[in-house]
Amino acid sequence: MADPRFFQAAGPFTLGELARVAEATLAEGTDPERRFRDVAPLDAAGPDDVSFLDNRRYVENFSRSRAGACVVEPAFADVAPAGMALLLSGKPYRSYALLAQTFYPRPRPNGTRHPSATIDRTAVIGEGTQIDAGAVVGPAVAIGRDCHLGANVVVANGVVIGDGTRIGANAFLSHCEIGRDCELHAGVCIGNRGFGFAMDPEGYIDVPQLGRVIVEDGVEIGANSTIDRGAGPDTVVGAGSKIDNLVQIGHNVRLGRGCVLVAQSGIAGSTKLEDFVAIAAQAGVAGHLNVGKGAQVGAKAGVMRDVPAGQSVLGAPAMPVREFFRLVSLWQRQLKSKGKKDG
Amino acid sequence: MADPRFFQAAGPFTLGELARVAEATLAEGTDPERRFRDVAPLDAAGPDDVSFLDNRRYVENFSRSRAGACVVEPAFADVAPAGMALLLSGKPYRSYALLAQTFYPRPRPNGTRHPSATIDRTAVIGEGTQIDAGAVVGPAVAIGRDCHLGANVVVANGVVIGDGTRIGANAFLSHCEIGRDCELHAGVCIGNRGFGFAMDPEGYIDVPQLGRVIVEDGVEIGANSTIDRGAGPDTVVGAGSKIDNLVQIGHNVRLGRGCVLVAQSGIAGSTKLEDFVAIAAQAGVAGHLNVGKGAQVGAKAGVMRDVPAGQSVLGAPAMPVREFFRLVSLWQRQLKSKGKKDG
Amino acid sequence: MADPRFFQAAGPFTLGELARVAEATLAEGTDPERRFRDVAPLDAAGPDDVSFLDNRRYVENFSRSRAGACVVEPAFADVAPAGMALLLSGKPYRSYALLAQTFYPRPRPNGTRHPSATIDRTAVIGEGTQIDAGAVVGPAVAIGRDCHLGANVVVANGVVIGDGTRIGANAFLSHCEIGRDCELHAGVCIGNRGFGFAMDPEGYIDVPQLGRVIVEDGVEIGANSTIDRGAGPDTVVGAGSKIDNLVQIGHNVRLGRGCVLVAQSGIAGSTKLEDFVAIAAQAGVAGHLNVGKGAQVGAKAGVMRDVPAGQSVLGAPAMPVREFFRLVSLWQRQLKSKGKKDG
């Protein structure tokens, strides 16, 4: 069970309710009125818990599980332990996510503004929005309904934040528009000036960065990540994109819809990622490149050229994944044969 | 045009004024009294805008541009569209930067101290300095004139900040002296204890870090970057250096003048970078090394040895750039020939 | 001498006191009542300072040093300059660390709570704990004795912090238990939701992250590092671990005791590091792996498989260090022989 100091379970819920939420069907003969109190992993779940099987590696655990109910693909129904209620789903992890959200709904903002927050009188703030202690909201800021600004968040003048968006403690927003239902975690910095200057032996001259950051709806941005504003064009993060912790996005970068950027990855200035591009941890993409729709950049890869749509690349400089693994096995053979010669 | 919620254009300015600022000459027969209202890229500029051509790739855009005026090298004057006023410059990007700074001057600090800021009574703060909401300034701090401390900035005891320096929201400064006209962005952490301890099976023993961080004049430090104080000697960032976001600088590191460290790069303890060294994104330099004047470390490079002055290196372990690219093409040939043998 | 604006030396101390603290023996005939005022490096130390020799590279400096006393291995006693008092130790760096801690003890928390801090009335805070300006402490938080919360720290509801722990400015803690005598530096973010979601063409569905972060006793965490809470299991940082700046630790990761993670390294979700694992700067370990006791992952390495106990790995993909260096020298030979053929 989740630690009740940090999480409050809703429920109980009936199997019928849960099946509806999970977009699953109940196996024949299952009692839809049976009630459940919590979610739990296969090996920890008891008779009042719902669990899930998403990976065939864990079929054993499934067969031995004491979970009262389980989300599972129909193909595994046969090996379920006796008495376990089955929620059949073609996408069990997705179904589990929906169930778990039902048991642990995100706390709603409470609509209060802490007296120690500093809110400029020209800021417009929607109903239901909660602003925590020490937050600072500048002039002409527009914040939607049911938002949550964590403690000590700083929102600079003119920033726009859409309905239902949550900003973590100590985050900083300037020169940006944030969409609806976004979640920006603690320490995020958005809208600082891009790293633009004219290099010159007499000293570097800053080039004013006159663009903004546009974060579309439903984006998540991880703790301490940084997104610089554009130099003239905007920096754009497409709807539904998921950005992990400590990620850097340079000026003028454009992410399409549903991009995923894992921890400590970075995208250099003016590069464009089309929809559903995935960038794994500690990977980097050089500036002024195009990464095609659905392309995947592996962990630690260093992308120095355009990546075609759908391609998976790895290595530094990045190459198609298969090529990279052929190269690695070539190295291993060379080492072995060298070992023989030396021996 | 830049979004007026975030940027306020000064001007209009006459061509004569602009030429002076940009250190450019007006092409013969140009009316120096003609007035301009804004800067804009070649393809978006209109008759009241000044644009620039810095890269011969964009000559086409230049020839078709509707910009009223343009900064350009004399060599391209011939292909300018009719009616475009030309500001001739040997360094058009530098000239553009100067122009753009004229249209969009940095907002001046307003000299106010927000009542919610906590300022120790022993702190000395110069005239014209602005301190925003929630900032905390400790005992014996000395801040110069015309500085700006953003909201929720924390300046610990004894820190010195020179005239005209700007500190972004939520930054943290301790055990340091910051020069004049620096810009530290949001979330920067300066002066934490270096990562120094005696390793021992019985437990690690912290080695007190008794040095400081010295940031010289005109330095820029990007969002969420971290610079640790020295163990005994100081950590030093040379005048005019440009540091991007999420960069790590270890204890006792010494950067010379005009060094450039791009996003997510890191310099390990006690390493010295001489003047004008450039470290590209996600590169790292190991500890106790020397990187010579003007050396360039490519993106993702891992430097394990001293780098001579002027050398460009790439790869991990880092090697001269040419060698790295020869190695990459060797790999490609080996893969191809292996492909043939296998086929 | 350390800058007195930032550091206050205790002392003076007698050689006898210092020998006891340093777990060293005084060379025969040394006066235990001789008094010392400070620590200093070999080349800067004077007659009132204690220095140390830890690396035989610096034997010359030792022989010429004007330090009044020096911690040194017995083997080097012969080459000490005349008149230098010797503190003989088998572990001179450790002895020096202990000495330096004696001269520069960590400032004790002063037990005050700044009036601008926001402390929920249900929070329980131990005696002697200092809470600085702008800090925010949520409901049901439990903080031990003699802790220090820096300015603008945010501690969310239910968090537990053990005795003697210090939290740097602007840090954020939620969903976590922090042990005794830990030091978390400025800007640290602990307990944000892990990067967990069900991927789906119809949109990503967040998987509620129902675990916590458990930081055991005596852990140090560097500036702007991030540790996500578990998805169901907890994320755990073992006792005495040392984490540098800008490090990322994903959900469900388990670090054993005494692990060392150097700057900008990252550990992906559900990976386990056994006791005393060292991860060098900018290295990464993929998810769901096991890194055995005492294993060492070199700088910039990319670990894609389990690492056996005691093994040192390097490269991306990571391989045993010796293999990596053989590979590098193989490349160098291939380049040279290719150069000859081309020439």
Side-chain angles (χ1 to χ4, degrees):
Chain A
M1 198 182 75
D3 187 331
R5 287 176 299 179
F6 302 122
F7 303 96
Q8 283 192 305
F13 299 102
T14 67
L15 266 187
E17 292 169 311
L18 294 175
R20 239 189 330 276
V21 165
E23 302 173 15
T25 22
L26 290 179
E28 225 173 303
T30 311
D31 174 11
E33 296 307 321
R34 196 170 152 189
R35 284 165 172 275
F36 287 85
R37 303 198 162 272
D38 209 344
V39 290
L42 286 168
D43 50 358
D48 290 342
D49 298 324
V50 189
S51 192
F52 72 104
L53 172 67
D54 182 48
N55 186 327
R56 58 177 59 236
R57 246 198 291 177
Y58 299 109
V59 171
E60 280 288 296
N61 302 37
F62 172 63
S63 295
R64 284 197 308 256
S65 177
R66 294 176 51 250
C70 190
V71 186
V72 67
E73 284 186 64
F76 295 107
D78 287 355
V79 295
M84 181 190 269
L86 299 184
L87 294 138
L88 304 173
S89 165
K91 297 173 179 170
Y93 191 51
R94 184 171 182 279
S95 293
Y96 167 74
L98 294 165
L99 277 184
Q101 287 182 2
T102 304
F103 279 104
Y104 293 96
R106 185 178 288 133
R108 278 184 64 81
N110 63 19
T112 62
R113 304 180 193 178
H114 196 276
S116 71
T118 298
I119 302 175
D120 191 272
R121 61 189 175 71
T122 62
V124 177
I125 295 166
E127 223 178 307
T129 285
Q130 174 180 347
I131 300 184
D132 288 350
V136 178
V137 177
V141 166
I143 302 180
R145 299 167 67 113
D146 298 317
C147 293
H148 184 190
L149 268 59
N152 292 336
V153 160
V154 177
V155 182
N157 59 296
V159 165
V160 176
I161 299 175
D163 295 345
T165 283
R166 301 170 303 284
I167 315 284
N170 300 326
F172 171 66
L173 308 185
S174 77
H175 301 86
C176 64
E177 288 185 23
I178 311 294
R180 294 165 174 240
D181 296 316
C182 292
E183 181 161 20
L184 278 56
H185 292 285
V188 160
C189 290
I190 297 202
N192 284 288
R193 61 174 245 102
F195 200 57
F197 47 89
M199 296 187 81
D200 196 87
E202 297 153 57
Y204 308 139
I205 315 266
D206 285 349
V207 176
Q209 303 287 303
L210 303 171
R212 304 165 301 178
V213 177
I214 307 297
V215 174
E216 296 180 357
D217 296 344
V219 167
E220 182 173 8
I221 303 178
N224 285 346
S225 286
T226 58
I227 304 181
D228 286 346
R229 69 177 186 261
D234 294 321
T235 304
V236 179
V237 178
S241 290
K242 290 281 184 185
I243 298 174
D244 201 351
N245 298 345
L246 294 169
V247 170
Q248 150 73 358
I249 296 182
H251 56 177
N252 310 341
V253 165
R254 299 181 79 88
L255 306 191
R257 298 177 59 241
C259 289
V260 174
L261 276 69
V262 185
Q264 297 174 318
S265 58
I267 312 293
S270 301
T271 280
K272 186 178 174 191
L273 272 52
E274 296 184 3
D275 295 348
F276 301 106
V277 166
I279 309 285
Q282 299 185 338
V285 183
H288 299 274
L289 297 181
N290 192 82
V291 181
K293 188 172 173 176
Q296 305 207 320
V297 174
K300 284 194 165 291
V303 176
M304 297 173 71
R305 292 197 216 163
D306 288 354
V307 179
Q311 192 167 79
S312 292
V313 299
L314 200 51
M319 58 192 85
V321 163
R322 284 184 109 179
E323 207 171 300
F324 180 75
F325 282 117
R326 282 175 58 218
L327 185 59
V328 170
S329 68
L330 177 69
W331 292 339
Q332 284 162 343
R333 265 198 312 278
Q334 289 176 342
L335 273 184
K336 215 178 284 175
S337 89
K338 185 188 161 284
K340 273 184 201 150
K341 274 188 231 159
D342 292 357
Chain B
M1 197 181 76
D3 187 330
R5 286 176 300 178
F6 303 121
F7 303 96
Q8 282 194 304
F13 298 101
T14 66
L15 265 187
E17 291 169 311
L18 294 175
R20 237 187 332 275
V21 165
E23 302 173 13
T25 21
L26 290 178
E28 225 172 305
T30 310
D31 173 10
E33 297 306 322
R34 196 168 154 190
R35 283 164 172 276
F36 287 85
R37 302 196 163 273
D38 209 343
V39 289
L42 286 167
D43 52 359
D48 290 342
D49 298 325
V50 189
S51 194
F52 72 105
L53 173 66
D54 182 48
N55 186 326
R56 57 176 60 234
R57 247 197 290 180
Y58 299 109
V59 170
E60 280 288 294
N61 301 35
F62 172 64
S63 294
R64 284 197 308 255
S65 176
R66 294 176 52 250
C70 192
V71 185
V72 67
E73 285 185 64
F76 295 107
D78 287 355
V79 294
M84 182 191 269
L86 299 184
L87 294 139
L88 304 173
S89 166
K91 298 172 180 172
Y93 191 51
R94 185 171 182 278
S95 292
Y96 167 73
L98 293 165
L99 277 183
Q101 287 182 3
T102 304
F103 280 103
Y104 293 96
R106 186 177 288 134
R108 278 183 65 82
N110 64 18
T112 62
R113 304 179 193 178
H114 196 278
S116 71
T118 298
I119 302 175
D120 191 90
R121 62 188 174 72
T122 62
V124 177
I125 295 166
E127 223 178 308
T129 286
Q130 173 179 349
I131 300 184
D132 288 349
V136 178
V137 177
V141 166
I143 302 180
R145 299 167 67 114
D146 299 318
C147 293
H148 183 190
L149 268 60
N152 291 336
V153 160
V154 177
V155 182
N157 60 297
V159 165
V160 175
I161 299 176
D163 294 345
T165 284
R166 301 171 303 283
I167 315 284
N170 300 325
F172 171 66
L173 308 185
S174 78
H175 301 85
C176 63
E177 289 186 21
I178 311 294
R180 294 166 174 240
D181 296 317
C182 292
E183 180 161 21
L184 278 55
H185 292 286
V188 160
C189 291
I190 298 202
N192 284 288
R193 61 174 244 101
F195 200 56
F197 46 90
M199 297 187 82
D200 197 86
E202 298 153 55
Y204 308 139
I205 315 265
D206 286 349
V207 176
Q209 302 287 303
L210 303 171
R212 306 164 300 176
V213 178
I214 307 297
V215 174
E216 297 180 357
D217 295 344
V219 168
E220 182 173 9
I221 303 178
N224 285 346
S225 287
T226 57
I227 305 181
D228 286 346
R229 71 176 185 261
D234 294 322
T235 304
V236 180
V237 178
S241 290
K242 291 281 185 184
I243 299 175
D244 201 351
N245 298 345
L246 294 170
V247 169
Q248 152 72 358
I249 297 182
H251 56 177
N252 310 342
V253 165
R254 299 181 79 88
L255 306 190
R257 298 176 59 241
C259 289
V260 175
L261 276 69
V262 185
Q264 297 174 318
S265 58
I267 312 294
S270 302
T271 278
K272 185 177 176 192
L273 273 53
E274 296 183 3
D275 295 348
F276 301 107
V277 166
I279 309 285
Q282 298 184 339
V285 183
H288 299 274
L289 297 181
N290 193 82
V291 182
K293 188 171 175 178
Q296 304 207 321
V297 175
K300 283 193 166 291
V303 177
M304 296 171 72
R305 291 195 218 163
D306 288 354
V307 179
Q311 192 169 78
S312 292
V313 298
L314 199 51
M319 57 192 87
V321 163
R322 284 184 109 177
E323 207 172 300
F324 180 76
F325 282 117
R326 282 176 59 218
L327 185 59
V328 170
S329 69
L330 177 69
W331 293 339
Q332 284 162 345
R333 264 198 313 277
Q334 288 176 340
L335 273 183
K336 215 178 284 175
S337 89
K338 184 188 162 284
K340 274 185 200 149
K341 275 187 230 157
D342 293 356
Chain C
M1 198 182 73
D3 187 331
R5 287 175 300 178
F6 303 121
F7 303 96
Q8 283 193 303
F13 298 101
T14 66
L15 265 187
E17 291 169 311
L18 295 174
R20 239 186 332 275
V21 164
E23 301 173 14
T25 21
L26 291 179
E28 226 172 304
T30 311
D31 173 11
E33 297 306 322
R34 195 167 154 191
R35 285 165 170 274
F36 287 86
R37 303 195 162 275
D38 209 346
V39 289
L42 286 168
D43 51 358
D48 290 342
D49 298 324
V50 188
S51 193
F52 72 105
L53 172 66
D54 182 48
N55 186 327
R56 58 176 60 234
R57 246 197 289 179
Y58 299 109
V59 171
E60 280 288 295
N61 301 36
F62 171 64
S63 295
R64 283 197 308 256
S65 177
R66 295 177 49 250
C70 192
V71 185
V72 67
E73 285 185 63
F76 295 107
D78 287 355
V79 293
M84 180 190 272
L86 299 185
L87 295 138
L88 303 173
S89 165
K91 298 172 179 173
Y93 192 50
R94 184 171 183 279
S95 292
Y96 168 73
L98 293 165
L99 277 184
Q101 288 182 3
T102 304
F103 279 103
Y104 293 95
R106 187 178 286 135
R108 279 183 64 81
N110 63 19
T112 62
R113 304 180 192 177
H114 196 276
S116 71
T118 299
I119 303 175
D120 191 272
R121 62 189 174 73
T122 62
V124 177
I125 295 165
E127 224 179 307
T129 285
Q130 173 179 348
I131 300 184
D132 288 350
V136 179
V137 177
V141 166
I143 301 180
R145 298 166 68 112
D146 299 318
C147 293
H148 184 190
L149 268 59
N152 291 335
V153 161
V154 177
V155 182
N157 59 297
V159 165
V160 175
I161 299 176
D163 295 345
T165 283
R166 302 171 301 284
I167 314 283
N170 299 325
F172 171 66
L173 308 186
S174 78
H175 301 85
C176 63
E177 288 185 22
I178 311 293
R180 293 164 176 241
D181 296 317
C182 292
E183 180 160 21
L184 278 56
H185 291 286
V188 160
C189 290
I190 297 203
N192 284 288
R193 61 173 245 99
F195 200 56
F197 47 90
M199 297 189 81
D200 196 86
E202 296 154 56
Y204 309 138
I205 316 266
D206 285 349
V207 176
Q209 303 287 302
L210 303 171
R212 305 165 301 177
V213 177
I214 307 297
V215 174
E216 297 180 356
D217 296 344
V219 168
E220 181 172 9
I221 303 178
N224 285 346
S225 286
T226 59
I227 305 181
D228 286 346
R229 71 175 185 262
D234 294 322
T235 304
V236 179
V237 178
S241 290
K242 291 281 186 185
I243 298 175
D244 200 352
N245 297 345
L246 294 169
V247 169
Q248 151 72 0
I249 297 182
H251 57 177
N252 310 341
V253 165
R254 299 181 79 87
L255 305 190
R257 298 176 59 240
C259 288
V260 175
L261 276 69
V262 185
Q264 297 174 319
S265 58
I267 312 294
S270 302
T271 279
K272 186 178 174 192
L273 272 53
E274 297 183 3
D275 295 348
F276 301 107
V277 166
I279 309 285
Q282 298 185 339
V285 183
H288 299 274
L289 297 181
N290 193 83
V291 181
K293 188 172 175 178
Q296 305 207 321
V297 174
K300 283 195 165 290
V303 177
M304 298 171 71
R305 293 195 216 163
D306 288 354
V307 179
Q311 192 168 78
S312 292
V313 298
L314 199 50
M319 59 193 85
V321 163
R322 284 184 109 179
E323 208 172 298
F324 180 76
F325 282 117
R326 282 175 58 218
L327 186 59
V328 170
S329 69
L330 178 69
W331 293 338
Q332 284 162 343
R333 266 198 312 278
Q334 288 175 342
L335 272 184
K336 214 178 283 175
S337 89
K338 187 189 159 283
K340 274 184 201 149
K341 275 188 229 159
D342 292 357

